Amino acid sequence: MDKRSNAVIGETLYTERLASGLTICVVKRPGMKKVFGTFATHYGSIDNTFVVPGSTGVTDVPDGIAHFLEHKMFEKEDGGDVFNDFAALGASSNAYTDYTSTTFLFSTTGHVQQNLEILLDFVQRPYFTTENVEKEKGIIEQEIRMYLDMPGDRLHSNLMEALYSHHPVRLDIAGSVESIRTITPEMLYQCYQTFYHPSNMVVFVTGDVDPEAIFAQVRRNQEAKGFGNQAEITRIFPDEPLEIKKPRVEQRMPVAAPLFMMGFKDNAVGKQGQDLLRHEIVMGLMWQMLLGKSSRVYAELYQQGLINDRFQARYSGGITYGMSAVGGETLDPDLLQRELEQRLPEATLRSEDLARLKQKEMGEMIGLFQSPEDLGYVFNSMYFRQIDLLSYLDVLNSITIQDVERAREGHLTAQVRSVSLILPLEHP
Amino acid sequence: MKHPIQTEAGFVGNFHNGVGWYVYPTKRFKTISLQAFWVNDLTPSTAAQGALLPHLLKRGTLRWPDSMAIEKQLETLYGASFRADVGKIADKQLISVSLDIVHGQYLPGTPDTLHAGLAFLEEILNHPLTPSKNQFAEQYVEQEKELLRRQIRGLINDKNQYAMHRLLETMADGRAFGLRKLGRVSDLDAIDASRLYQYYEKVRDQSPFVLLVVGDVDPATIESYVKQGWSRGRHPLGAIEPYTPRHHNHEVIEEQPVSQGKVNWGYATGHTLTSPQYPALMMYAGVLGGFPHSKLFVNVREKASLAYYAYARIDAALSLMVIGAGIEFEDYQATKRIVAEQLEAMVEGEISGQELQYTLEAFRNDILSEEDSASQLIGRQMEKILLGGGLTGDQLIKALSEVSVSDIRAVAEGIQLDTTFFLTTDGSGRDSDG
C-alpha cells in the first residue's frame, strides 16, 4: 500500500497496484455517511480504431460503441439487471462515458463490502446476446434524440465537427442513430476484451472506510478471477491537420436567442503526466485571466450587453486532443466574435490577477475533496492521463505570468479558430 | 408570532417574528455554507421584480462597486462560491444569496473566513450600489432587465423544462403556483431603477428572512448576527395555498420542431409534506417511478424500449405528482397505455415485497446521503420551515418502513389525472444538421 499526502490540501491518497495491473485508490472521509465507488476504464468514444492485443490487424468499430457497451454491462446472464442487485442493498448505481473513459459507479450508505463486490463483478462479467443488443438500440436512440433537442449540446457538438477533420473527438459520444444500429454482440465482446482488462482500469473509493480493508477485498476478488497479463493496447488516431476544418458552422433550432461558441484547436498535443497537468493548468489560468468573471474583458462585454453571466471560457483535453471553448448566449454573435478576436490577443495579463487566481484554485482544490462525485471524476480522468492529483498545487505555484503569455501566443490564432452558432428559427 | 417549527437533531435555531436562523454544526465539512433567504408571495405583479433583484445585488455594492470587484474579493476568499438567485416553492418566491467558503482552520495562516463570509453577505444584502439616493444604477437595471427578458424567453431552449412549465401552468389555471419563478416579460417594462429600489427596501425591511448555516460554526455567532442585523418588524411567513385540481383528464398537445416527444402527466395526490399519508405517498411514487427498479423504468424503458427516461416525481408542497418520459412521436398512445396500466397496478396493490423493499432502501440511501451535502441539508430545512413541519432523517426513514401495501393502495385510489401535456413534432423533419 502506498500512502501519500499533501500538506496544503490536507488529504491523503492510499493506492495499490495489483499483479494484474489494476490500480486501487482510496480517500478517507471520516464522519461521512455516504461511500462512493467507481470502476473505470481508459476507454471512451474516441477509441474506435485499435489493434486487439495479441493480433496484428487494425480493428474499426462503429461510432458510439463505448457508450453502447456501458449500457449493456448492466445486463446479467440470468436476464436480471445489475441496478436491482444494488437496489437490494439500498445503493444507487450509474455509469457514464466520455471521450476517453467509461466509469461505473455506486453510491451507498451501508453494505459497502457487498456493493463493492457487485461493482467489481458486473463490470468483469459481460453478457451480450443478439436479442439484448437489439433491445438496447431503441433506448439509446431516444437518448441520442434527447441530446439532439438540447441546443447547448448541439452547439458544442457542431463546434467539435468544425475544429476537427479526422480525430474521432469530432463525433458525438453516443454516436448516431445510424451508427449504433450496426452494433453486434461480437463487436461488443471485441471492445470489451481489448479495453476492460484490469491493467487498463482503476478502482476508486471514497468515504468513511478503511483503505486496507478495501485493498484486501479487491485483491481477493481479482485473484479469484485469475487475470493474465495483457500487452499494451495500440490505439490508432488519424493524422489531424493543424488547421481547423471549417471556420464557422450554423444550425437553426427553436431557441429564444442565438447561442455562440468560439473554439480553438490545441495542436500542442501528445503530452501526458506532469507536462500535461502543467499545460492544462496554464490554459485554465489563461482563460480565467482573459475572460473569467474578474477579468476586464468579461466586464466590458457584459456592460456592452453582449454576454450574460452564464458565459464561459475553458480548456479541456486529453492526451491526443485539446481545445478551448468560449461562449454563451448573445444577441449579436457577429459583434461578439469581432470583439473577442480583437480583445483576446491584446488584453493585459497581470501578475496580481495570477496571484489571486492561485489562491482561488487552492480553495477549490480543498473543496473538491468535499464532493465524492467530483473527486472521483477528477481522480479518474487524471489517473488515465498519468497525472498525480496531489501535485496540483505545487505545479500551480510554479506557473509564471510568462507561461500564461506564451500559452496565449501559441493558442489564440486564426488558423485554429472556429465559431459554432445555434440560431433561432426566425433569425434573419 | 412564534412559528410552529420543532428543530430536530441537526439544525439548531428558531423562527420568531419573521426572522429565522438555523445552524447545522458539523466538523464533517471543510467548507462553511451560508444561505440567506427572503420569502415572498409569488404574484404576477412582483415576480419579475423579485427575479431581477438578485441580479442587481450581484452587480455592485458600496464597497465593491462592480461585479469585477466582487469577483476579485471572492477569489481572495480562496475561491468562495457565491450565488444570488431566485427560487420557488409552490406559491412562494425565494430570493436567496449563498456563499460556500473554506473554513479557516484548513487554510495557511488560519484566516477567519466565517466572519469574512458574514461580512460579505452583509455587504451584498444591505449595501447595494446606489449611485443616486434611493435608486439602483439605471444602466445596470436596464441591462439586467434585458438579460432577464431573454432568460424568461429562453425557456424554450430546454424542452424538458418547457414541457414541465406548460403542464404546471395549465394545471394552475391562473393560480400563483403556475407562475414561473422568473416572472413574466410583460411585467418587466414597468420596472425602473427607483421602483426596483423601493421594492428592495420593502423586501429588506419587511419580508420574512432566514439565514441557514452548515459547517464547523458556533450557533451563537449566527444567532447574534441575525438578532443584531435582521430583527426589524417583519411579516410572518404566509401559509402555502394547497393545490386542488380544476381539470379532469384534460389533454394539451403542442407542436414544435423537435427530435423527441416529451410527455408529462400531472396528477393531484391530495397530500403535502405535513400530511400523515405523506410517507405512503412517497412509497407510492417510489415504487411507481422513482428509481431504476420502479415500474415505469422497467416497463416503459427496459421492457418496451420506448424511452431513455420515464419517472414519477411528487411535489411535497403542492400535493401534485408528475410522470414524464421522452418518446418517439408515434409511441404516444403506446406509452400512455403502459403508464395507465402501471397506475392501475398500483391501485390494485400489485406491489411485490421486493419492490417495497428496494424502494424503502433507496429512500434510506437518499435520505442519509443528504447529510453529506450542505446545500441539500439547507434546501430540506427551508422546505420544512415553509411548509410548517414534515418528517426528515431517521424519523422519515422509520415512517417509510412502516408503510404497508394497503397504505399505498389507499393513496393510489386518491390519485387523479389532472392534465396531460404532450410536446410533439410539427412535422418539419429531423434534419439535425440544420
Side-chain angles (χ1 to χ4, degrees), chain B residues 152-168:
Chain B
I152 295 171
R153 290 191 175 135
L155 174 66
I156 190 67
N157 297 12
D158 185 330
K159 303 296 175 286
N160 259 327
Q161 274 190 32
Y162 176 77
M164 183 64 79
H165 167 66
R166 290 284 293 114
L167 175 74
L168 263 190

Side-chain angles (χ1 to χ4, degrees), chain B residues 52-253:
Chain B
L52 198 54
L53 188 52
H55 289 287
L56 265 298
L57 299 183
K58 274 193 285 199
R59 287 301 299 268
T61 73
L62 209 57
R63 193 163 152 209
W64 304 301
D66 53 36
S67 20
M68 192 157 58
I70 294 177
E71 200 60 36
K72 283 181 178 173
Q73 175 65 13
L74 291 165
E75 287 169 356
T76 307
L77 289 174
Y78 301 90
S81 76
F82 163 55
R83 292 173 63 99
D85 49 26
V86 69
K88 172 188 161 184
I89 293 184
D91 56 3
K92 299 283 176 276
Q93 188 186 39
L94 280 61
I95 297 171
S96 94
V97 172
S98 70
L99 193 73
D100 289 311
I101 191 164
V102 178
H103 196 297
Q105 64 188 301
Y106 302 106
L107 290 166
T110 61
D112 184 352
T113 54
L114 172 63
H115 281 94
L118 284 173
F120 180 86
L121 283 188
E122 173 68 17
E123 178 75 12
I124 295 288
L125 293 168
N126 272 325
H127 308 288
L129 183 73
T130 49
S132 354
K133 197 171 152 52
N134 295 334
Q135 61 173 45
F136 288 116
E138 227 163 286
Q139 192 194 22
Y140 286 1
V141 172
E142 289 310 313
Q143 283 168 356
E144 295 301 330
K145 271 168 66 178
E146 174 55 28
L147 290 173
L148 180 57
R149 187 175 289 125
R150 276 154 54 186
Q151 198 188 345
I152 295 171
R153 290 191 175 135
L155 174 66
I156 190 67
N157 297 12
D158 185 330
K159 303 296 175 286
N160 259 327
Q161 274 190 32
Y162 176 77
M164 183 64 79
H165 167 66
R166 290 284 293 114
L167 175 74
L168 263 190
E169 186 180 54
T170 308
M171 290 170 78
D173 188 28
R175 286 172 288 180
F177 73 85
L179 283 168
R180 292 178 62 197
K181 64 179 183 183
L182 299 177
R184 302 178 304 195
V185 167
S186 54
D187 299 314
L188 279 170
D189 291 337
I191 302 175
D192 62 28
S194 72
R195 276 203 196 144
L196 188 64
Y197 191 79
Q198 280 166 27
Y199 179 74
Y200 159 73
E201 283 189 312
K202 215 170 115 190
V203 168
R204 184 193 63 196
D205 298 336
Q206 298 173 19
S207 294
F209 174 87
V210 192
L211 176 63
L212 297 110
V213 181
V214 174
D216 190 2
V217 169
D218 179 5
T221 310
I222 303 302
E223 182 179 17
S224 78
Y225 165 74
V226 170
K227 282 193 168 158
Q228 279 165 28
W230 293 93
S231 294
R232 289 164 236 184
R234 295 183 172 278
H235 299 304
L237 281 174
I240 286 176
E241 188 73 25
Y243 148 75
T244 47
R246 288 190 182 165
H247 306 287
H248 180 67
N249 204 356
H250 176 48
E251 186 182 55
V252 181
I253 296 180

Side-chain angles (χ1 to χ4, degrees), chain A residues 331-349:
Chain A
L331 285 183
D332 194 340
D334 294 334
L335 180 58
L336 179 56
Q337 180 172 355
R338 281 199 303 276
E339 292 285 346
L340 288 170
E341 285 173 8
Q342 191 199 330
R343 286 163 185 245
L344 294 177
E346 289 172 1
T348 314
L349 298 168

